[in-house]
Amino acid sequence: MAYKLINPLAQSFYIDEPCVVTKVDLFFSDKDDSLPVRLSLRQNVNGIPGAYIIPFSETIIPSASINTSANANVATTISFTSPIYLEAGEYSITLGSDSKNYKIYVSELDGVEIGRAHV
């Protein structure tokens, strides 16, 4: 299966102190019937996700494992195969797929409206 993550969807976050990450929750509104989603954690470079994928963070999420909801009230929990140690700094969760059928809820700081973005 080929993956072309030329322009993946990314959500940045900042860590004040070193920590260990074991899982993330994502909120999908639509999904593909068969194609998976690819998730990875990346350290940001100049405010955008860098090319380097944090070891053990790259995860393929089968379509059958993805929960959807009409109002972002059902999470899809993605557990990493191994705990991931992150130093203090800025990172991004990146998502991509060969399908354009995936939609995920996004949030904006101080935002109120529920919105969706294509993966």
Side-chain angles (χ1 to χ4, degrees):
M1 200 174 276
Y3 293 97
K4 300 175 196 167
L5 295 181
I6 296 168
N7 189 17
L9 178 68
Q11 173 64 57
S12 63
F13 61 97
Y14 187 82
I15 297 174
D16 290 327
E17 297 179 14
C19 70
V20 174
V21 178
T22 59
K23 62 185 176 180
V24 297
D25 282 345
L26 301 174
F27 298 85
F28 290 86
S29 65
D30 293 303
K31 67 179 185 173
D32 191 86
D33 291 334
S34 60
L35 293 175
V37 169
R38 181 178 179 181
L39 176 141
S40 63
L41 298 180
R42 299 168 188 243
Q43 192 162 23
N44 284 4
V45 177
N46 297 323
I48 61 171
Y52 178 73
I53 296 173
I54 305 294
F56 306 110
S57 73
E58 190 165 45
T59 305
I60 304 298
I61 310 154
S63 174
S65 298
I66 295 175
N67 302 315
T68 61
S69 66
N71 58 3
N73 66 350
V74 178
T76 298
T77 300
I78 293 91
S79 297
F80 297 110
T81 57
S82 181
I84 300 166
Y85 177 78
L86 298 177
E87 294 282 350
E90 186 180 6
Y91 297 87
S92 285
I93 298 170
T94 61
L95 298 170
S97 178
D98 285 340
S99 171
K100 294 186 183 226
N101 294 329
Y102 284 100
K103 293 181 184 172
I104 190 163
Y105 290 97
V106 296
S107 66
E108 186 177 318
L109 193 58
D110 296 325
V112 177
E113 185 177 336
I114 291 179
R116 296 181 279 182
H118 288 276
V119 170

